[in-house]
Structures are given as C-alpha cells and as structure tokens.
Amino acid sequence: MAAQLVEDQVTCSICLDRYRDPVTLPCGHSFCGGCMQDSWRCWEKTCPECRQPFPEGTKLCRSVTLSTLLKTLPLELQAQEAAIPRPEPGAGHGARCPRHGRPLEFFCRTDGLCVCSACTVHECRHHERALLDVERRVREDQLRARAAVARQQVTQAETQLQELQQQSSQIESSACTLTSVVSSRFSSLLQALEKLQASTLRNIEVAKKQALDQALSEIQRLTDHLEVLSQYDHSVQDLLGQVDDSSFFQELQQLSEPVESPGPLTTPQWDEEQQLSSMNEMLGPLCELLLEEKPPRVAGKAARAGPVALGPSPPVSSAMCPLRKKLWQNYRNLTFDPDTANQYLYLSHKDQQVTHHFQAQGPARPGSFELWQVQCAQSFRTGQHYWEVRTSDHSVTLGIAYPKLSRRKVGTHTDNIGRGPSSWGLCIQEDSIQAWHNGKAQRLHGVPGRLLGIDLNLTSGYLTFYSLEPQTQLLHTFHALFSQPLFPVFWLLEGRTLTLCHQPEAKPPPGPREEASALI
C-alpha cells in the first residue's frame, strides 16, 4: 500500500507514467518536462490540473525535489513495477498495453494498433490517433457498408445470372424457331425451284416440238418437190431417147411444164437465248428476294460510282448492289450547323465539309460544342432516312442524338456521342471499331472503308451503319424506340476531314407538315 502511495506521488497526470525531467509550475503542480512542453505547444498556457493561466514568457523550472526523490526511490518499487502482469493484446475490453500495462484506450491509425495513454505521449506522439470505442464504431460502420455492398453485388450477380439463364433459354427458343423458319423457307424455295425447273423444261419441250414440226413440214415439202422433179427428169430423158420424130413431137406436147421452185426455206423457230431469257426472268424475283432480306452481312459488290461529295453525282449505276439501290430511295442531303461547331472545326463547301484545324478559328459560339463535335442542321422525327459521309482517315465518330445532348464536356472522354442514353455512335479507330450507347461500348469486327452509309428507320426503330468500300458491308445495327427528334452528329480528331455526300436527286428531309401527315 505504501509503495502504491509513493508511486502515485511520482506519476505524471498527463502521461500516467513516472516523471521524466519533472518541472513544477507556479501553481505548485508538477509534470514531466516533455509532457508540459507538448501541452503548451498544442494548447494555451494553463495548468493541466487546475487550469490556472500563465503569462507569456513563463519558463518551466526543473523540480529539484522530485528529481532527487526519483533517484532515491527504493529498487523494490522498480521491481514491483516490473512484476506487474502484462496481459496479451486483444484480451477483450480489459486488455492492457504490453509495454506500459495500462488500459488500451486509443487506436493509432498510423500503426494500426491499440495503444494506451502512455503510448500516445511517447511512441505514438506524432501519429494520427482516435479513441478506441470511436474508432471501433467507425470501423464497424465501414464493415457494415462493405457487407451491404457485398450483398448488393450478390443480388446483382444473382439477377444477372437469372437474366443470362433467361437469355440462354430465349436464344435456344429463338434458334429453334429460326431453324424452323429457315428450313421452311428453304423448303418453299426448293419447291419453287422444282416447279420452275419443271415449267422451264416443259416450255423447252414445247418449243422443241414446235420447231421440229416446222422442220419436218419443210422436209416433207422438199422431199415431195424432189420426187416430182425426179419424175420430170425421167420423162425428159425418155423423150430425148425417142427415135421417131412424129412420136417425139406428140409426146413433147403431152409433157407437162416443170414444177415451180419451192420458194425460200422456212427456218424452224428455235431460239436458245429466248429460252434462257425466260428462265432468267423467272429466277430474277427470287434472287432479288434473297438479296433484299435483311440484315445482309455482305450484300454484294458495291458500285464505285455513288454519291460524290461537293459535286453532282452520276445516276445510280446498274452495277450497284440491290441493297444500296434500295437505301438510295430515302437519300437525304445534309449540311452542318455552324452554330454547333467547335471552335477548332472549320466548315466549307456550303457547310458540307468540316476540317479539324490545330488552331482555333475564333471564339466559341453560344450553343457550340466544347468537344470536337458538330451537329447537322437537319433533324428527323418519323420515317426512314439515309445519308453517306466520306472521311479522310480513321479516328472519327458518327452518330445521332436527341436535342438535349450536352454541349459541355463531362468526364474524361473527348466526345460524348453514345456516352449517355440520348445518343448512339460508331467510333472508328485505327485498330478497332466500337458501337457506343448509354456509356457501354461493343467492340466490332471488320475494317471499314472511307465511304460510310447511315440508315435511320424511326418507324421500325433501328439505326444501321454500313461500310461502302470496297464492298457494301454491314457494320452494326442499334435497335431502340426513338421518342424525340434525332440530329446527325459527328466527332473528328485533329487533321481529319469529314464530308457529307450529296446526291442531286435526293429528297429533302420531310418538314413538320409532312411528318404530321405521315402520323395520321
């Protein structure tokens, strides 16, 4: 008991340990010299015990009495202090510090350890610390939040798994239905071809019979004529062999006149080209039906003649594939909207061509894109529309967007076409093609040419991109229920040029009245 009382008298009330270089304040309370200096650096100059303030310039004086007392303390006290049991860390709420034997009341965030008050003064003096129970609540809240996130991920994964299972079932059902439809179509096609073959062979047989009958008739006519001529020749020869003159003249008077010439030969009516032409006429609708089925992966050779930029286009070539001929029925001539063009984009050729310059063309216009983008002046609400563009190189994006597409840069992307729900875009890079919508990208296969076609069908709800050189190739199709007017929009990298191709016979986009009438 006496040892404990002595120990209490030589314990600093700040670090709860024996005095180290003890100092005594004017108010009479004593503390460790280091503890007091730390206290005065962090707080105002007051006594930690009685809160008596001290004027500026007050110096800490060493307590000679306490220093001498500490040196003369019996060694037994030190032995008793060393004999205090040190509980292991983590022994529960009553755990004590293994170094100082004091309760673990704090948490050192720097070291990630539970510490006592003495540790906060010495070892963890300059570390970030917090009360143990406060830190425990914070960590528990964090752990609960992580568990909630994990549960959400589990729910999301289960939902995705269920969706994939449903999609797999739908794919299997769709494939089964598609197989049945394709088999039925090919069966019908084979039946049609068989009927066509039988009909064609019958026609050939009829034409052959007619031609052979004509030939047989001519052969019979010529044979009869030859027989008459032969009989006449025999009569003439007999007459020439007559010796008696009286008999000669008598028989000569009875000799009939020679038969008339048979006339021109009637050629049998037989024409192979006509038979083949008839067959081709019957096969033509079937071939067109197959070519016009959508979506065609490769519809055939594209004509090099097509809509050319910045000048009149030649008429549709007969060598152009049927798909592109059909798309041209809804061709639209578009122009760029100068008010939307980024200040680095230069419009020319009656706003049909845009070039990305390395220097700004002037101050930004109100309502223009902060990104390297430009929008067309025309928009579409209903119907089907098709346009073509020519690019100078890769690193361009083609797309459509609702009027609410943001003009400002959001995030780290250099363009916003397809980055949100209000736009759809096809990004063409040097080594890849990506289809973007609602912030999700789908990597595509193929290497597109410089001439590209865009087909927008608001009635059926699809947007299709085509590469037109060296052949017509479908790149990607978006399916959506478009609910607002749509504007063509483009992005291009520095040094790139993009041209809107014009076709002289193209129809202008329908106006509001035509759109309203189309909806009735």
Side-chain angles (χ1 to χ4, degrees):
M1 180 64 69
Q4 183 63 39
L5 291 175
V6 173
E7 185 68 25
D8 293 340
Q9 295 300 321
V10 295
T11 298
C12 175
S13 61
I14 296 178
C15 65
L16 303 179
D17 202 353
R18 279 192 180 186
Y19 290 122
R20 292 185 178 88
D21 299 326
V23 295
T24 300
L25 299 181
C27 62
H29 294 109
S30 299
F31 306 93
C32 295
C35 294
M36 203 60 224
Q37 290 178 355
D38 290 343
S39 175
W40 282 8
R41 276 197 298 268
C42 299
W43 309 97
E44 57 185 6
K45 289 189 176 182
T46 58
C47 175
E49 289 283 347
C50 63
R51 300 301 179 185
Q52 179 179 341
F54 298 101
E56 289 293 335
T58 301
K59 296 183 179 180
L60 298 175
C61 298
R62 178 171 175 269
S63 176
V64 179
T65 304
L66 286 177
S67 298
T68 304
L69 177 62
L70 288 170
K71 291 180 181 179
T72 58
L73 278 177
L75 295 178
E76 289 78 3
L77 292 178
Q78 299 181 13
Q80 290 178 5
E81 179 183 359
I84 297 175
R86 308 293 186 185
E88 294 295 328
H93 294 287
R96 292 181 174 270
C97 177
R99 289 172 292 193
H100 306 100
R102 299 183 181 278
L104 299 175
E105 301 174 347
F106 301 93
F107 182 80
C108 177
R109 293 175 176 171
T110 304
D111 293 338
L113 298 174
C114 298
V115 296
C116 66
S117 57
C119 294
T120 61
V121 176
H122 301 292
E123 291 83 357
C124 304
R125 177 183 302 175
H126 302 294
H127 294 178
E128 184 181 1
R129 304 181 301 272
L131 292 175
L132 189 60
D133 56 345
V134 174
E135 187 68 18
R136 174 65 182 265
R137 287 194 297 270
V138 171
R139 297 300 177 93
E140 287 178 349
D141 292 341
Q142 293 176 352
L143 194 59
R144 291 189 185 95
R146 292 178 183 176
V149 172
R151 287 192 296 271
Q152 292 178 357
Q153 292 178 354
V154 169
T155 303
Q156 183 180 4
E158 290 176 348
T159 303
Q160 292 176 347
L161 179 61
Q162 185 177 1
E163 291 178 355
L164 284 176
Q165 291 174 347
Q166 292 177 355
Q167 291 176 1
S168 300
S169 177
Q170 292 174 358
I171 290 172
E172 185 175 355
S173 175
S174 176
C176 182
T177 304
L178 186 60
T179 301
S180 176
V181 171
V182 171
S183 300
S184 175
R185 288 190 179 183
F186 273 96
S187 178
S188 300
L189 182 60
L190 289 175
Q191 292 177 7
L193 289 175
E194 289 175 356
K195 292 180 180 179
L196 179 60
Q197 179 186 13
S199 175
T200 305
L201 294 178
R202 282 196 304 269
N203 293 337
I204 293 174
E205 190 66 27
V206 171
K208 180 189 76 170
K209 186 176 183 305
Q210 292 176 352
L212 289 179
D213 289 343
Q214 292 176 356
L216 289 175
S217 176
E218 287 296 300
I219 290 172
Q220 185 64 40
R221 185 173 68 87
L222 292 176
T223 301
D224 295 342
H225 186 69
L226 288 173
E227 185 177 354
V228 172
L229 290 176
S230 178
Q231 292 176 358
Y232 181 80
D233 184 63
H234 285 299
S235 300
V236 171
Q237 294 300 327
D238 291 342
L239 183 60
L240 291 175
Q242 182 63 254
V243 178
D244 183 39
D245 294 335
S246 177
S247 299
F248 173 80
F249 283 105
Q250 185 179 1
E251 293 179 2
L252 180 60
Q253 292 178 357
Q254 296 177 354
L255 183 65
S256 62
E257 293 294 329
V259 296
E260 296 180 359
S261 172
L265 181 66
T266 302
T267 306
Q269 298 297 321
W270 175 256
D271 189 356
E272 290 184 0
E273 293 297 332
Q274 183 180 2
Q275 300 299 323
L276 292 176
S277 176
S278 300
M279 182 187 68
N280 291 336
E281 288 179 1
M282 289 184 285
L283 286 175
L286 291 176
C287 295
E288 291 182 3
L289 179 63
L290 291 176
L291 288 174
E292 291 179 3
E293 284 291 331
K294 63 181 183 179
R297 284 295 176 187
V298 179
K301 296 289 184 179
R304 293 191 180 277
V308 293
L310 316 180
S313 290
V316 179
S317 170
S318 59
M320 183 180 293
C321 74
L323 171 63
R324 196 173 174 200
K325 283 184 179 180
K326 184 177 179 181
L327 291 173
W328 267 37
Q329 297 176 3
N330 302 296
Y331 201 98
R332 306 291 183 235
N333 291 332
L334 305 178
T335 55
F336 295 114
D337 184 358
D339 293 335
T340 65
N342 178 269
Q343 57 184 339
Y344 287 87
L345 301 183
Y346 174 75
L347 301 185
S348 60
H349 297 84
K350 298 181 180 180
D351 295 336
Q352 298 174 29
Q353 188 176 84
V354 58
T355 303
H356 189 152
H357 286 196
F358 291 88
Q359 294 182 350
Q361 304 304 302
R365 304 181 184 88
S368 63
F369 285 101
E370 285 186 352
L371 304 158
W372 299 333
Q373 294 178 191
V374 61
Q375 184 174 282
C376 282
Q378 295 78 17
S379 64
F380 308 108
R381 293 177 180 270
T382 60
Q384 185 172 0
H385 313 276
Y386 176 75
W387 61 94
E388 295 181 358
V389 299
R390 184 174 291 278
T391 63
S392 62
D393 207 344
H394 56 78
S395 300
V396 297
T397 300
L398 322 175
I400 59 172
Y402 289 151
K404 63 181 180 181
L405 180 66
S406 175
R407 299 292 193 268
R408 306 302 176 207
K409 182 176 181 180
V410 179
T412 59
H413 297 290
T414 57
D415 74 283
N416 61 0
I417 304 175
R419 310 294 179 178
S422 61
S423 58
W424 296 257
L426 185 77
C427 180
I428 301 174
Q429 299 296 334
E430 183 177 6
D431 57 347
S432 66
I433 315 173
Q434 294 179 342
W436 279 89
H437 175 60
N438 203 15
K440 297 180 181 179
Q442 179 181 351
R443 191 180 182 91
L444 308 176
H445 300 287
V447 179
R450 296 291 178 255
L451 183 62
L452 302 162
I454 301 95
D455 180 28
L456 173 62
N457 192 324
L458 292 99
T459 304
S460 301
Y462 66 79
L463 170 69
T464 303
F465 295 89
Y466 296 94
S467 174
L468 305 177
E469 292 180 348
Q471 63 184 16
T472 302
Q473 178 184 5
L474 186 145
L475 298 176
H476 185 71
T477 298
F478 290 101
H479 297 277
L481 296 176
F482 303 113
S483 58
Q484 301 180 34
L486 290 168
F487 289 83
V489 62
F490 306 89
W491 171 90
L492 56 160
L493 193 64
E494 295 103 323
R496 305 300 191 263
T497 297
L498 190 144
T499 305
L500 295 169
C501 302
H502 275 210
Q503 198 259 342
E505 299 178 359
K507 298 179 181 178
R513 294 184 179 178
E514 294 175 328
E515 292 176 349
S517 62
L519 293 174
I520 298 176

